Amino acid sequence: MAAPGALEAAGSVPGTKVELSVSCRNLLDMDTFSKSDPVVILFVQSTGSSEWKEFGRTEVIDNTLNPDFVRKFVLDYYFEEKQNLRFDVYNVDSKSCSIYKQKDFLGQAFVALGEVIGSQRGRLERALTGVPGKRCGTILLLAEELSNCRDIVTMQFCANKLDKKDFFGKSDPFLVFYRSNEDGTFTICHKTEVVKNTLNPVWQPFTIPVRALCNGDYDRTVKIDVYDWDRDGSHDFIGEFATSYRELSRAQSQFTVYEVGQGPQWGSFGGVGSPTEGPAWCPQVLNPRKKCKKKKYVNSGTVTLLSFSVESEFTFVDYIRGGTQLNFTVAIDFTASNGLPSQPTSLHYASPYQLSAYALALKAVGEIIQDYDSDKLFPAYGFGAKLPPDGKISHQFPLNNNVDNPSCAGIEGVLESYLQSLRTVQLYGPTNFAPVINQVAGTAAQVTDGSQYHVLLIITDGVISDMMQTKEAIVTVSGRTPPGSGHHVWPQCRRAAPHLWLLPSANRPLRCPCPSSSWEWGRLSSMVSGVGWGWGRAGGCCHTGSERCLQPWRSWMGMRCGCHRGDGMRRGTSCR
């Protein structure tokens, strides 16, 4: 996550990016038959304002009073400002209900970002308050400046002959990854999934930024714990071993086997070996107490690195400097639901002093994108209108009336063609998206060298009539199911609501034009009240005006909006 606009000082020097890790200790137990399921929500306060805005939240950890959260908060730190933060801790009873209930409130803490950074070794412990008459426990915050490392590593592990921990079964093992800190402590950075009832698990490949794993220090110790999962949260410790990013990277073309030992004293790095010959260098990691009791104790199993690959996460600027062009296409809603253009209530109405809502939305996006298009020629279409002279309904007619060449010269040319079409066509319906999506997708497929991105901006006022066909068009283009399938993504509101669609060239995976992101799509809220989107900084933001999200679209595994309220896109609703 990047800091919201509230934390950005206008005209100030760009701040340092700081990662906040969050843990809690001795939380209140609010559940009757189990322990609490805590989540921490971070709120930020705008400079010179008393209003608090939600910045983000951690994951929910089931059945624990001492959680160590994997999900971090990344903020921009400005030395010259006091950046107030508020951490609220809640117990989540149900994922479907709101957590903002007083009975689920576990406490809160107020801190300044400077306090955390200025504390000894960047570690601050603060008592939680807010529940009268009860001790709410403490929250632990660890701040670390992030490096500029942009590599992303994908790894896969398996294990063999782990200790049996379950009485009526085997074990349900999972791995927990920690990076070392300067004071000898460790910060959690990843958890694998649980593999049920086996002593020889094979975990799914996972991807993690190198910055999260070791913050760019390749020799930094990475400790990996092996646990047996228990439903009540009291996971059984199987063993642990230590390695480093450099050690892991040396095994890209071979198997690496690590012996797993028990106990708080973990040893040196595991070594490299083949599956048949065994590890060539693998010092034992022992539990001193268990060694005293069992003279023949060797280890608690082995963990094998099956695969390791690294990719660089390129930025938007990297792609632009490499010659990538953005081809911008716009499609405007000419359905009757917009109202008569001559009436002030119509979204197509333009007064002598102000452009229409559609024109404002078009200018807001187009004037930014046009800087990244060398020829400044933009295809422009309309849909949902009856065309002269025969009154035929069309859902992909060129605004300049040139079927062979629908491109307009610059944004001003698009606006001129839009106003001309408004005078000649009859607003009708229905609101169909699929024809224009397929039209632009066909154009994008003609570019086979991967040098261009085709961006389709659809500006409409409300409900989509061909929802199923629209979904099918997206799936056909992308090969992936769009977010919100089975849900109503677009609200039934009557305003000019632009929708941004990113269509790939042939033989190139569908991605946001911000090259650091996986395939994403975004619904841009009303552009009338304020420009809620900024190329290269937001890359497709869901916020408007002063609430602009500055988070670049990145490669989340679940296809979600990149802003700090982005969980809404996963549910098929707006993140607003």
Side-chain angles (χ1 to χ4, degrees):
M1 296 177 191
L7 292 182
E8 184 181 76
S12 64
V13 178
T16 301
K17 286 197 176 296
V18 175
E19 178 189 80
L20 284 184
S21 301
V22 182
S23 300
C24 296
R25 295 294 179 264
N26 302 317
L27 293 177
L28 292 173
D29 191 355
M30 306 296 285
D31 293 342
T32 304
F33 300 105
S34 62
K35 298 178 182 177
S36 295
D37 306 322
V39 62
V40 174
I41 305 175
L42 171 60
F43 294 86
V44 298
Q45 191 175 50
S46 303
T47 303
S49 172
S50 59
E51 181 183 2
W52 291 96
K53 296 180 181 179
E54 182 180 334
F55 178 83
R57 57 184 67 181
T58 66
E59 75 278 11
V60 178
I61 301 182
D62 294 336
N63 298 320
T64 180
L65 305 182
N66 302 289
D68 295 311
F69 297 99
V70 175
R71 191 174 300 167
K72 317 296 184 185
F73 300 114
V74 178
L75 304 98
D76 286 325
Y77 168 64
Y78 300 97
F79 173 79
E80 68 276 12
E81 293 184 18
K82 184 174 183 180
Q83 298 169 258
N84 293 322
L85 310 176
R86 190 184 92 207
F87 295 88
D88 288 3
V89 186
Y90 283 88
N91 171 45
V92 178
D93 291 324
S94 172
K95 294 182 179 180
S96 62
C97 66
S98 172
I99 65 173
Y100 295 102
K101 296 181 180 179
Q102 189 62 33
K103 67 175 183 178
D104 297 321
F105 182 65
L106 301 180
Q108 64 182 185
F110 296 85
V111 301
L113 182 57
E115 284 185 83
V116 186
I117 295 174
S119 59
Q120 187 175 10
R121 295 177 177 175
R123 183 183 299 273
L124 178 68
E125 183 172 0
R126 182 64 56 87
L128 294 169
T129 60
V131 180
K134 294 185 178 180
R135 294 184 178 180
C136 302
T138 60
I139 186 169
L140 294 87
L141 305 173
L142 176 65
E144 182 171 356
E145 181 180 356
L146 289 179
S147 69
N148 293 323
C149 179
R150 298 189 306 198
D151 290 343
I152 298 177
V153 60
T154 300
M155 296 182 285
Q156 183 178 18
F157 290 87
C158 71
N160 189 41
K161 297 181 180 179
L162 295 177
D163 287 350
K164 179 179 179 296
K165 292 293 184 178
D166 294 340
F167 186 77
F168 293 106
K170 297 179 180 179
S171 290
D172 306 319
F174 66 97
L175 301 178
V176 183
F177 291 72
Y178 301 86
R179 67 168 185 253
S180 62
N181 302 316
E182 293 181 357
D183 59 357
T185 60
F186 289 87
T187 300
I188 188 172
C189 55
H190 182 74
K191 287 182 181 179
T192 67
E193 78 281 7
V194 177
V195 181
K196 294 293 188 68
N197 197 32
T198 179
L199 303 181
N200 303 294
V202 178
W203 291 281
Q204 293 293 324
F206 65 91
T207 300
I208 182 173
V210 174
R211 192 167 65 175
L213 188 64
C214 64
N215 203 15
D217 181 358
Y218 292 173
D219 294 312
R220 188 171 183 171
T221 300
V222 176
K223 184 167 73 78
I224 303 176
D225 289 355
V226 187
Y227 283 94
D228 167 49
W229 177 85
D230 288 329
R231 187 179 300 276
D232 62 1
S234 59
H235 309 309
D236 299 319
F237 180 71
I238 294 177
E240 60 187 6
F241 62 94
T243 183
S244 69
Y245 177 82
R246 191 179 303 279
E247 290 286 331
L248 293 169
S249 64
R250 289 173 180 169
Q252 294 188 41
S253 59
Q254 346 177 24
F255 286 107
T256 301
V257 181
Y258 298 94
E259 293 195 12
V260 180
Q262 287 200 355
Q265 297 184 357
W266 43 269
S268 54
F269 301 133
V272 178
S274 69
T276 56
E277 298 173 355
W281 175 52
C282 189
Q284 296 182 11
V285 184
L286 304 177
N287 181 344
R289 290 180 297 178
K290 194 168 185 179
K291 185 177 180 180
C292 293
K293 294 180 180 180
K294 297 183 179 181
K295 295 182 180 181
K296 295 183 179 181
Y297 171 75
V298 178
N299 58 47
S300 298
T302 59
V303 173
T304 303
L305 176 63
L306 296 178
S307 63
F308 183 97
S309 61
V310 183
E311 295 181 354
S312 293
E313 186 180 38
F314 296 106
T315 66
F316 177 78
V317 175
D318 290 332
Y319 273 101
I320 294 300
R321 288 178 176 174
T324 299
Q325 292 288 306
L326 300 185
N327 290 338
F328 176 57
T329 303
V330 63
I332 298 177
D333 186 344
F334 281 83
T335 58
S337 60
N338 289 283
L340 293 175
S342 59
Q343 299 297 321
T345 56
S346 172
L347 295 172
H348 286 296
Y349 175 77
S351 72
Y353 311 103
Q354 187 175 5
L355 294 172
S356 68
Y358 279 92
L360 288 173
L362 174 60
K363 283 177 64 68
V365 178
E367 288 183 350
I368 297 173
I369 292 185
Q370 69 177 353
D371 293 336
Y372 306 100
D373 193 321
S374 58
D375 60 14
K376 301 294 189 292
L377 296 177
F378 307 122
Y381 297 92
F383 59 90
K386 284 186 174 182
L387 306 184
D390 55 0
K392 182 180 179 181
I393 301 174
S394 175
H395 296 289
Q396 56 183 73
F397 63 90
L399 296 185
N400 63 0
N401 293 320
N402 188 341
V403 178
D404 297 327
N405 183 15
S407 297
C408 303
I411 297 303
E412 293 302 324
V414 176
L415 287 171
E416 182 179 344
S417 297
Y418 156 65
L419 295 175
Q420 179 62 31
S421 294
L422 206 56
R423 302 186 192 100
T424 58
V425 304
Q426 177 186 350
L427 304 190
Y428 202 72
T431 307
N432 292 347
F433 279 12
V436 72
I437 294 174
N438 291 327
Q439 171 71 26
V440 179
T443 302
Q446 298 175 12
V447 182
T448 59
D449 60 0
S451 63
Q452 299 181 17
Y453 270 100
H454 290 254
V455 180
L456 171 60
L457 175 69
I458 298 177
I459 311 178
T460 185
D461 73 324
V463 181
I464 299 176
S465 302
D466 64 337
M467 178 64 77
M468 290 305 299
Q469 292 85 349
T470 297
K471 290 179 180 180
E472 290 175 0
I474 301 171
V475 172
T476 300
V477 172
S478 65
R480 296 173 65 174
T481 304
S485 295
H487 301 274
H488 200 67
V489 178
W490 296 275
Q492 299 186 31
C493 58
R494 193 173 174 279
R495 61 179 182 178
H499 300 264
L500 183 70
W501 304 83
L502 306 164
L503 305 178
S505 302
N507 302 324
R508 184 176 181 134
L510 186 60
R511 297 167 61 94
C512 166
C514 173
S516 64
S517 55
S518 62
W519 177 76
E520 299 286 349
W521 68 318
R523 176 188 175 281
L524 281 71
S525 297
S526 173
M527 292 292 182
V528 180
S529 59
V531 180
W533 177 78
W535 255 144
R537 302 183 68 191
C541 172
C542 305
H543 288 171
T544 59
S546 62
E547 293 188 345
R548 290 196 313 176
C549 163
L550 303 181
Q551 171 64 38
W553 294 81
R554 306 178 71 84
S555 52
W556 291 277
M557 298 302 291
M559 288 190 300
R560 53 180 291 187
C561 166
C563 72
H564 59 276
R565 301 184 187 183
D567 284 333
M569 291 301 288
R570 180 173 293 181
R571 297 190 299 270
T573 60
S574 170
C575 59
R576 291 285 292 167

